[in-house]
Amino acid sequence: MKPLIACLLLALASAPALAADVDVVDTTFAKVQGAHPFNVRDLVMMDRVSDPQLSPDGRYAAFGVRSTDYAANKGVTAVYVLDLGKGGQPVKVVEKGSSARWSNDGRSLYFLAAAKGVTQLWRLDLAGGNGLDLARHGAPVQVSHGVLDLGGYKLSPDGGRALLSYEVFTDCANLACTHERLAAREQDKASGTLYTKLFVRHWDTWADGRRNQLYVARFDGKGQLPAEPTLLTRGIDGDVPSKPFGDDSEFTFAPDGKSVFFDVRIAGTTEPWSTNFDVYRVPVDGSAAPTNLTADNKAWDGFPVASPDGKTLYYLAMKKPGAEADRFAIMALDLATGAKHEVDPKWDRSPGGLAISADGKTLYATADDEGQHPLFAIDTASGKVRKVVGDGTVGGYSLAADKLLLSRDDLKRPADLYLAGTDGSHLKQVTHFNAADLKNAQVGDAEFFNFKGADGANVQGYVVKPANYQPGKTYPVAFIIHGGPQGAMGNGWSYRWNPQTYAGQGFAVVTVNFHGSTGYGQAFTDSISGDWGGKPLEDLKLGWKAALDKYSFLDGDRACAMGASYGGYMTYWIAGVWNEPWKCLIDHDGVFDTRAMYYETEELWFEEMENGGTQFDHPENYEKFNPINHVKDWRVPMLVIHSAKDFRIPLTQGLSAFTALQRRGIPSEFLTFPDENHWVLKPHNSVQWHDAVNAWLKQWTAAGAR
């Protein structure tokens, strides 16, 4: 052991070197004026249009727009209304608010916003002499007065009630009890938490014993809700809506307003390895316990939508217990007899949430479909499916008065609103947010290509040209590997892995929708389970070759591979088994050790489905494609990015990979964010992330780089 004085002198001598190993970054910027290649600073400052809502008469569109307060390092969402009859510009009617919904008479908007630091429900009256007066409306009126944040809501068909979601301690008799218990915890000088079951933490949040529960309250004569609503989910050990991303698509009123439908996964001790959601019905007055309507199916049932006549309940259902990426079938439940049948058995796509036409004859849903994310219409009687709006990505949508309002984006432009007939006819863009910025920011053209992948299957990918593309020149390549793994890189705009941010830096982009991707049939999606490093890797190899053969502007000698989540797993995997083509690698929140991942993650159902069971019962499955077993073959410089609040793929996975790189003497850097989860969401962090990634790409693809 060294003498103490020697240790102190050594520490002092090494301090400057240690400080130099930590990079200090500047994420401030002045917006570029005039024509320029698209960059991350354009990206983070774009207005994000979402949540379109048609008024009952179809004349007005309400929607949310998230703008960026860069100085405050956060997004701010406002509510806009557009008069579709007169056209013109949208009017901002709420400075800070979200989840705007029309009253049943179309004369008011309800929305969520903070009051004294607590999220409440508000009403904005817009009625004017002829239609709505968007310019001279009165001030919003607070209508809920709970002591806890309101998580979500839905108005009853007659407008007399509201469903309300609050996060509460389920043994509390009222909201005030939860509020008092939280306040007492804040005063407790002991900081420990004792857990008796999983989840201990989920996504980016440590469990504290509270669950989302569903309440109902009636508006009084003045349009006010009581501070203490009526609990509808009494005795339900689960979250309504689900955590971490559930919303108001998971609960709804019956058309007559006398009952409520919701979906929930009963937690118990099996929550981390169960996907058994069920659909329940409960009387609107809470006079009886909820009744399980789908107990016969041990897989996922959810997202209920009632037919306008109240006789049929439509919902989505998977068939494989423990799966989260099985195909969702559209189911119809006869509420009088309990009989069920699948509406769309011949449609090999997995639809998202449902909406229904006023006559009950047509269901609407979006779904991935060969690189696009269209809106489809499904005939409730025959199950026949037709595409309503095709190219690009359809986000939210709303139906009213034989009109369809939807948000739509693609690889070259972010979301705006479009208006059409309910059959998709006469599609017309009605908002033009970001138009001026997009005119100045040059983006790259995109093209899809197909090739024969693993087992001779048809596989799709796409290429994005650099923003400054000139025929005859060659360009370095960013080869992006998507996450999920049951996902896809499609014709849509993104605020995380947006190909245009690389195209704007002078890179071409190549991506491949390998075996396991969505939108190509359920068998194709299922094929990745148990084969993470097999057919997907073969597709990536063949797709890379196909792209190089087809596009002469791709410089295959100056290319870097990169990905996040499963894409990060694949980046670690190819670092050991397919590193020949790459000048550098970039890994964001990837799985480095599949064995440790099983015991570190939270949603165990995913690991068990992908690997054929638990790690302790089937260790060989977890080792078959484990990147840690090939570290001795790593040689390519790698940037590792991993955030501290990522509980899906915990920080230790990234730290372990960086340790391996450093110990092997491979050029490497490690970027971590203490305040981010599986995604990087804060504006300054997003800029820092992109700056670090782009610097790494340029360093290793520059002329003369190793």
Side-chain angles (χ1 to χ4, degrees), residues 33-102:
Q33 302 300 316
H36 63 278
F38 184 82
N39 60 59
V40 63
R41 287 153 175 83
D42 296 310
L43 184 73
V44 299
M45 296 306 294
M46 285 191 155
D47 291 328
R48 308 186 189 186
V49 179
S50 65
D51 197 18
Q53 300 291 325
L54 266 176
S55 61
D57 62 2
R59 176 174 170 178
Y60 297 94
F63 56 97
V65 178
R66 179 194 181 276
S67 59
T68 299
D69 183 340
Y70 197 73
N73 200 26
K74 65 180 182 180
V76 179
T77 301
V79 176
Y80 284 74
V81 175
L82 173 63
D83 187 337
L84 297 167
K86 292 183 177 180
Q89 296 300 311
V91 177
K92 185 190 295 185
V93 296
V94 177
E95 284 287 339
K96 293 182 180 180
S98 63
S99 304
R101 299 292 182 268
W102 292 100

Side-chain angles (χ1 to χ4, degrees), residues 107-160:
R107 296 166 66 84
S108 302
L109 270 178
Y110 289 86
F111 64 94
L112 296 178
K116 298 180 179 178
V118 179
T119 304
Q120 303 285 3
L121 184 63
W122 297 71
R123 186 187 70 249
L124 178 66
D125 297 322
L126 295 169
N130 181 21
L132 304 184
D133 191 338
L134 303 182
R136 294 185 294 275
H137 56 79
V141 176
Q142 182 181 338
V143 299
S144 76
H145 304 274
V147 293
L148 303 175
D149 286 326
L150 178 57
Y153 73 99
K154 186 164 281 187
L155 303 172
S156 64
D158 66 0

Side-chain angles (χ1 to χ4, degrees), residues 281-299:
R281 176 170 55 185
V282 63
V284 74
D285 59 3
S287 59
T291 302
N292 189 342
L293 302 177
T294 61
D296 56 316
N297 183 29
K298 303 306 179 183

Side-chain angles (χ1 to χ4, degrees), residues 176-190:
C177 166
T178 293
H179 181 262
E180 292 163 3
R181 191 177 296 180
L182 291 172
R185 284 187 176 182
E186 286 292 321
Q187 299 301 315
D188 194 340
K189 289 183 172 57

